[in-house]
Amino acid sequence: REGWDTIESVETPDPHTVIFFLHRPFPDFVSEIFFDESVLPRHLLENEVGEYFHQTGYHHAPVGSGPFKFKEWKSGSYLILERNDRFYGDGPFLDDIVFKFIPDENALLVQLKTGEIDIYDNADISFLDQLKALPGVDVRLTPTMMYEHLDLNTENEILSDKRVRQALSLATDREAIGEVVYEGLVAPAPLDEYPSSKYYNRRAAENVRYNPVKARRLLRDAGWVVKNGDGILEKDGKKLVLFISTTAGRLNREKTQLVLREQYKEIGVDLRIKNYNSSIMYGSYEENGILKRGNFDLALYAWLSSPEPATKRDLYSADNIPPEGQNNPRIKHERLTELLEAGANEIDPERRIEIYHDVSDILVDECPVIPLFWYTAVDVSSKRLKNYKPNPTQSADTWNAAQWYVED
């Protein structure tokens, strides 16, 4: 609902113009509403609103205005789109596009080698050398706005002490994760803002540099001490044991967990692994999803960042703890909530920068999340496919599919 709830009324003075009237200033309106949202057909959905929307057959046979239109979908197997001859722009130049659902990445690699597929989107980075050695394909490395991170459950008995959260942040060697797990093809992320963003706070970034000595001191100040020879800290008769959760079967995330387990062991934390199927990990509040219900200590997953930071309100405002929003760490900080609300309504560019720099300062101090790195996407296409141009945003690599064509 972010952004949509600011709309007071809508006018359509002619068939090609829409005018939105807002009941309050919302400077991110265009970027938030049109960045990844679609205009939906009223004639198909006007009676399918609210809870009925999730059950509508539209999700299995959507209608849109893009260069391709829905043709066929076999669940778990493939999805076929055919050219839309009524498309308003140039193209399309292909008759159809077939999306194949192949969960096994080794099988994907085989089908790329045999020419059964033309695009291997977001390939496993561990296949990079093999992919580069394949004849007849182009391999592209695209820095993205998707960042891997840890959510720290601030309602957890141990993690409710921000000194423990700060210690974990300082004990996290982002460069080591990038080298060991991703062969140096990811960029360390001290903050949840991309380094080239005008909202990036270099002062805050300096405060999360890898510093295990300071991390151990923070834990000692919080009352955690070594009681026996295993090196694991204790307090009030309890070991400093935390569980880290992610989606089962994601090899690189499981490797990251192992690296973090060793890093945190150095400061006296016993990090244990407890993973879940993705449908359980990311399930809704009603489905008792792990993130939405807060049934985790540390959660490892990715967010796709927006060019403008108003979306942080949904991630960190005390008003957006699930089921109300996506504040999965459940951070409750009055000043942070006030700043996020102010930033979402501020139209002065310089003042917005000041606000979100202050937000970064608080996030570093409170540490509800530990950003790890920015992903680099590995996208592979056959040389016969022309004009395939991956992009770093959530608009997906099909953003210019109307311009694709095949040259045999």
Side-chain angles (χ1 to χ4, degrees):
R1 295 177 58 191
E2 184 74 25
W4 294 100
D5 56 1
T6 66
I7 298 174
E8 181 74 31
S9 61
V10 180
E11 291 183 3
T12 53
D14 62 66
H16 299 98
T17 303
V18 178
I19 302 174
F20 292 92
F21 294 89
L22 310 185
H23 62 73
R24 65 172 175 83
F26 186 59
D28 289 348
F29 181 78
V30 172
S31 62
E32 286 305 310
I33 295 302
F34 300 108
F35 186 50
D36 66 341
E37 303 286 355
S38 301
V39 177
L40 300 176
R42 179 178 180 178
H43 68 287
L44 295 178
L45 295 171
E46 62 181 334
N47 296 320
E48 306 283 351
V49 297
E51 62 184 75
Y52 300 106
F53 180 72
H54 299 287
Q55 305 167 17
T56 178
Y58 178 85
H59 297 303
H60 295 275
V63 175
S65 59
F68 293 88
K69 57 185 180 180
F70 175 82
K71 180 179 181 181
E72 182 182 355
W73 179 12
K74 185 175 181 180
S75 183
S77 183
Y78 61 82
L79 170 68
I80 302 177
L81 305 180
E82 61 183 350
R83 64 177 289 137
N84 179 8
D85 293 321
R86 300 177 65 186
F87 178 56
Y88 59 86
D90 294 332
F93 305 113
L94 298 177
D95 291 328
D96 51 43
I97 298 177
V98 180
F99 294 87
K100 302 177 73 173
F101 306 129
I102 306 172
D104 185 278
E105 301 213 49
N106 287 293
L108 271 168
L109 185 61
V110 169
Q111 292 205 18
L112 184 67
K113 289 179 179 178
T114 59
E116 295 174 74
I117 60 175
D118 289 289
I119 297 174
Y120 183 176
D121 179 67
N122 199 20
D124 191 314
I125 210 163
S126 64
F127 291 153
L128 184 59
D129 290 340
Q130 295 183 64
L131 293 168
K132 286 183 175 180
L134 284 180
V137 303
D138 292 317
V139 179
R140 299 172 178 84
L141 303 178
T142 308
T144 74
M145 297 184 68
M146 179 179 289
Y147 64 97
E148 193 81 344
H149 73 292
L150 290 169
D151 274 357
L152 281 60
N153 189 342
T154 60
E155 294 181 348
N156 173 276
E157 181 181 1
I158 295 174
L159 295 172
S160 62
D161 188 333
K162 77 175 181 179
R163 291 171 294 185
V164 176
R165 303 195 299 269
Q166 290 170 341
L168 293 175
S169 177
L170 293 170
T172 303
D173 188 345
R174 296 166 174 82
E175 286 78 7
I177 294 172
E179 291 296 330
V180 172
V181 181
Y182 293 91
E183 302 179 19
L185 291 174
V186 296
L191 306 177
D192 62 358
E193 285 290 348
Y194 204 77
S196 60
S197 168
K198 61 187 176 183
Y199 300 107
Y200 186 78
N201 183 341
R202 300 188 184 281
R203 177 188 64 242
E206 287 295 318
N207 290 329
V208 292
R209 284 183 176 274
Y210 176 56
N211 191 338
V213 174
K214 185 176 180 181
R216 284 190 287 268
R217 186 165 62 246
L218 281 166
L219 291 176
R220 183 190 63 213
D221 293 344
W224 294 95
V225 296
V226 176
K227 289 291 183 70
N228 57 47
D230 64 1
I232 302 303
L233 302 178
E234 296 182 33
K235 180 180 178 181
D236 300 330
K238 294 182 179 180
K239 295 276 192 180
L240 209 174
V241 176
L242 293 168
F243 287 87
I244 182 171
S245 301
T246 192
T247 43
R250 292 293 298 272
L251 182 59
N252 286 335
R253 282 186 175 154
E254 291 172 348
K255 288 180 179 178
T256 299
Q257 289 177 313
L258 296 177
V259 173
L260 288 169
R261 184 173 67 182
E262 293 305 309
Q263 290 180 1
Y264 293 172
K265 185 177 180 181
E266 291 295 314
I267 64 168
V269 176
D270 182 2
L271 187 66
R272 300 179 183 179
I273 296 171
K274 187 177 184 180
N275 293 338
Y276 301 90
N277 180 278
S278 60
S279 63
I280 298 174
M281 185 76 176
Y282 303 128
S284 67
Y285 191 85
E286 292 75 18
E287 295 168 334
N288 293 316
I290 297 301
L291 292 173
K292 296 305 180 188
R293 286 287 180 173
N295 294 324
F296 67 93
D297 298 344
L298 285 77
L300 174 65
Y301 62 107
W303 275 124
L304 196 54
S305 179
S306 169
E308 289 291 329
T311 52
K312 292 182 191 291
R313 181 171 59 171
D314 194 41
L315 301 181
Y316 306 124
S317 170
D319 298 328
N320 287 317
I321 294 171
E324 302 303 322
Q326 299 187 83
N327 181 355
N328 296 329
R330 289 153 167 77
I331 180 69
K332 300 173 185 175
H333 189 283
E334 183 177 354
R335 179 56 179 158
L336 176 60
T337 298
E338 291 173 353
L339 285 169
L340 292 168
E341 185 65 27
N345 292 280
E346 181 57 62
I347 60 175
D348 179 78
E350 294 304 316
R351 178 57 187 145
R352 278 169 64 80
I353 292 173
E354 293 175 4
I355 289 172
Y356 286 110
H357 279 196
D358 289 346
V359 166
S360 290
D361 285 332
I362 293 175
L363 290 176
V364 166
D365 182 60
E366 290 293 325
C367 200
V369 298
I370 302 176
L372 297 176
F373 57 81
W374 296 94
Y375 273 100
T376 297
V378 179
D379 296 304
V380 190
S381 63
S382 64
K383 287 187 178 295
R384 77 187 194 109
L385 179 64
K386 306 301 181 183
N387 273 343
Y388 174 68
K389 298 177 181 179
N391 82 97
T393 75
Q394 64 199 74
S395 297
D397 291 345
T398 54
W399 68 278
N400 72 329
Q403 305 306 311
W404 295 357
Y405 67 94
V406 171
E407 194 175 83
D408 290 316

